Amino acid sequence: RPGADGDASAAAVAAAARAGDAVAIASFERAARALAAGIAATATLVEIDIAVIGGGVGKAGDILFTPLRHALRQYATLSFVQHLTVAPAVMGTDAGLVGAAAAALRRREDAPTAGLAS
């Protein structure tokens, strides 16, 4: 539910959860279970060692990561997935932009230089 000011962003819901709002806490617990199921399934298919959570949700801190890690223990039952690390993105909401810029730069560096003699 949106707060009194109408803000329904992840940051606002996280703040409400930290303040003890039962609906906000339940929202993060439900989201954590769904996210854990997706992470466990992905890790099982592609054998990742770490799942990094970015964006506004990644900034929720323990409100998200405590139930997420708990739910992940329930879903990640295969031996090679049980030691999966889940962490917040270091770059927060800028991670996607930095990644896109790095990919563009790499593509530019890898592009052939037409018309130039070596």
Side-chain angles (χ1 to χ4, degrees):
R1 303 187 287 214
D5 61 356
D7 189 356
S9 67
V13 177
R18 282 188 207 93
D21 182 290
V23 172
I25 292 168
S27 295
F28 269 97
E29 289 174 353
R30 183 175 179 188
R33 285 192 306 274
L35 190 55
I39 290 170
T42 302
T44 300
L45 290 172
V46 297
E47 296 188 50
I48 59 174
D49 295 322
I50 186 168
V52 179
I53 311 298
V57 174
K59 291 182 176 182
D62 288 341
I63 292 295
L64 172 68
F65 287 97
T66 298
L68 174 59
R69 289 181 179 122
H70 176 74
L72 193 56
R73 285 191 297 274
Q74 295 173 333
Y75 287 110
T77 57
L78 297 174
S79 61
F80 64 92
V81 191
Q82 291 177 346
H83 302 290
L84 178 68
T85 300
V86 178
V90 175
M91 293 185 173
T93 56
D94 292 335
L97 294 174
V98 172
L105 182 60
R106 177 173 213 144
R107 184 177 179 128
R108 183 175 175 199
E109 290 172 352
D110 292 343
T113 52
L116 297 177
S118 27

